[in-house]
Amino acid sequence: MLLDQDPASLMRHCFTNFNLAPDKAALSRINDSLNTVQEMRNMRVRDAEDALRKLARQQATLSSQHREVISNHDSHEHANEIVALDTKKFRIAKQASEMEVESERLESELERMKMRLTELEEQ
């Protein structure tokens, strides 16, 4: 039955019965989706590269500042400064303690004098 017909007419008949429009539309949608995904991917890559360049600049700045601080740091001078500040702190604390004791002594003497004054006024 198939061999009885002309092959050209069979092929023409197949081509006319094939509906390629939905397949072409599906391929077009797939292609559009792929293009959209590629554009979004490229945008994300550009954003990530920009962020990476920004972080690299920030890291370079901080590294140079760190090197400068380390090169200018003198641990012996720092230790001497800490010792001097500790000495000054203890001296001030001692003076504050002595002044507090003196203040309490003067308050006590003032109370004693007030009592003496009231005694003298009563006489």
Side-chain angles (χ1 to χ4, degrees), residues 91-109:
R91 191 176 306 131
I92 289 171
K94 183 179 177 186
Q95 289 173 350
S97 175
E98 289 172 353
M99 288 182 167
E100 187 177 338
V101 168
E102 181 67 14
S103 171
E104 289 174 2
R105 187 189 66 77
L106 289 173
E107 284 177 1
S108 168
E109 187 175 332

Side-chain angles (χ1 to χ4, degrees), residues 6 21 26 33 39 41 64 66 76 79 89 102 106 109 120:
D6 180 34
S33 294
E39 288 174 9
R41 182 184 172 275
S64 67
H66 180 259
H76 183 68
K89 177 180 74 174
E102 181 67 14
L106 289 173
E109 187 175 332
L120 289 174

Side-chain angles (χ1 to χ4, degrees), residues 14-85:
C14 281
F15 284 138
T16 56
N17 286 336
F18 257 20
N19 189 2
L20 296 177
D23 292 339
K24 286 182 180 179
L27 287 173
S28 177
R29 286 191 309 271
I30 290 170
N31 194 27
D32 290 344
S33 294
L34 284 174
N35 287 337
T36 303
V37 168
Q38 185 64 35
E39 288 174 9
M40 292 182 71
R41 182 184 172 275
N42 289 342
M43 188 175 11
R44 289 181 70 187
V45 167
R46 276 193 307 272
D47 290 346
E49 288 172 346
D50 290 343
L52 183 61
R53 279 192 290 276
K54 181 181 176 184
L55 288 172
R57 285 192 303 269
Q58 187 177 11
Q59 189 268 339
T61 302
L62 291 174
S63 290
S64 67
Q65 289 175 351
H66 180 259
R67 280 191 302 274
E68 183 179 332
V69 166
I70 293 298
S71 67
N72 290 338
H73 179 70
D74 183 8
S75 61
H76 183 68
E77 181 181 329
H78 180 72
N80 288 340
E81 186 177 340
I82 294 297
V83 168
L85 289 173

